[in-house]
Amino acid sequence: MVSTTEKLATHRTPAISDLYRDVRARTMQIVAPLETEDYVIQTAEFMSPPRWHIGHTSWFFETLLQAHQPGYKVYSDEYLFYFNSYYEGFGERIARPKRGTRSRPTVRDTVAYRKHVDEQMLPFLEAIEQKRDAEKILSLVRLGLEHEMQHQELLVYDIKHLLADQFDAPIKPAPAASAKVAGMAEIEGGLFWLGHASQVQSPKSKVQSPESSVVSPESSVLSPNYDFAFDNEKPTHQVFLHDYALDRAPVSNGDFLAFIRDGGYQNFRWWFSEGWEAVNRETWRAPLYWELHDNQWLIRDFSGLHPAESKANEPVCHVSFFEASAFAKWAGKRLPTEAEWEKAAGYDHRTRERTNFPWGDTAPDLTQANLFENGLWAPAAIGAFPAGANAFGCHQMIGDVWEWTTSDYVPYPGFKSEFDEYNDKWFVNQKVLRGGSFATPQLHIRSTYRNFFHAHERWMTSGFRCAQDI
Ligand SMILES: [Fe+2]
């Protein structure tokens, strides 16, 4: 029998109803090991109870049914209130920090709501081609599925915060490091087409001379088997980069331990003013989930409590932008801009073409990147995915940990919102992260993907690699 994840891996863009079934099933696979009591607890203001995620992702599809299925009757006004996240356009909602303050709707009722939405959605999808605005509805369904994949990743963060190693995660054996990854890659600057080149939005007639090392949007249109990008990844536009160097590997726990042991958290000179305030206010002494026992740093993850030394060759995870920036300054480096990151992860300097991934255009498989389907539930050793390296020998840019960049999350020039209140209302005071993590589904990542979080946040799977001017 072919598993859900295998099907998703081999069929990049299956029929929408198959994709719907697979994505919806995976959410329930993730939460399956939880006990009923686990579903309703909120352990911090920034996390959400698992019950809320499974209801909210269904609410998203119910709003679609309300708008596009004639005669659809709302399941429950109370659910519309409880499961709305932040959408002003969909009415009143419970405050985010209060999601864990009520026991109703119960878990059983929430699962029944999910089932009800699926029972409405599947016949709706089967008949979608006959609808007048089929294309618009399909793009909303796809958005709903991408949204659900984002919540699958959030579920992993939130379950880790809730239970960590008490959660019975179905962890698969981790591959060993088979390549030595060291030093920095030197990458030539110049003009670069940043962002996702969708056929709809790319300019019509821009041809560059072959000598210019600039690829025109026509030749950089991403491979047709990769058919989705968020509006915030578009349009493709030219930016200028100076020559730069980029770490071939993410910063490791071993590297970060050296920073800690050098008094990095006690020395204001490495920190931005706001970062230093956060260090003192939150009494940060190490990344989240690091614990000091008998003067030894230990890292707690889904598999238990481990000496940090035993994970010295794995990417550091759960650091804020402030911590990443402080480390970079201490190391005599800096964080890359998102354009520098994207050029390394989505451009082949030999063919001068944009690519979907560091290794080319093929969809990620289990040997190229540590994503959700690998089932590791943790970052892997540096050098464990040589097949995923780029032409400069930069490893693990996709998967393992999201990588902080120094770039502000702002709209690209020429940005056009495709969905109200989805990405466009967050273009302030956040930083861009790139590349996906061990909690990101394979179908949900590409070199142009822009994730974003506030500079102090660190409960997500965030790490980084450094850059340098040359
Ligand atoms: Fe959401």
Side-chain angles (χ1 to χ4, degrees), residues 128-146:
I128 211 163
E129 302 293 346
Q130 285 114 54
K131 296 206 179 281
R132 225 179 334 116
D133 40 2
E135 207 172 315
K136 183 181 163 204
I137 300 171
L138 269 172
S139 79
L140 280 171
V141 173
R142 185 62 191 261
L143 178 71
L145 294 172
E146 299 292 333

Side-chain angles (χ1 to χ4, degrees), residues 179-188 244-251 315 333 336 339-347 349-350 355 357-360 367-370 381-400 403 435 447 464-468:
K180 192 161 163 29
V181 188
M184 301 182 87
E186 297 200 347
I187 300 173
E188 196 184 350
Y244 63 106
L246 188 70
D247 283 347
R248 291 202 171 92
V251 168
K333 299 179 181 178
E340 288 171 335
W341 192 96
E342 188 170 312
K343 182 162 185 182
Y347 176 78
H349 67 287
R350 297 160 303 191
T355 55
F357 301 101
W359 56 84
T367 70
Q368 287 162 326
N370 175 17
I382 291 164
F385 291 87
N390 75 358
F392 294 101
C394 294
H395 286 239
Q396 285 155 288
M397 296 194 79
I398 300 293
D400 288 294
E403 299 184 17
S447 65
F464 62 107
R465 76 181 68 216
C466 294
Q468 215 164 29

Side-chain angles (χ1 to χ4, degrees), residues 213-250:
S213 85
V214 178
V215 174
S216 72
E218 280 74 16
S219 58
S220 70
V221 166
L222 299 177
S223 95
N225 72 342
Y226 205 82
D227 62 346
F228 180 87
F230 284 111
D231 52 7
N232 64 11
E233 299 166 54
K234 307 172 206 171
T236 186
H237 59 287
Q238 281 188 301
V239 296
F240 182 79
L241 303 179
H242 293 278
D243 295 347
Y244 63 106
L246 188 70
D247 283 347
R248 291 202 171 92

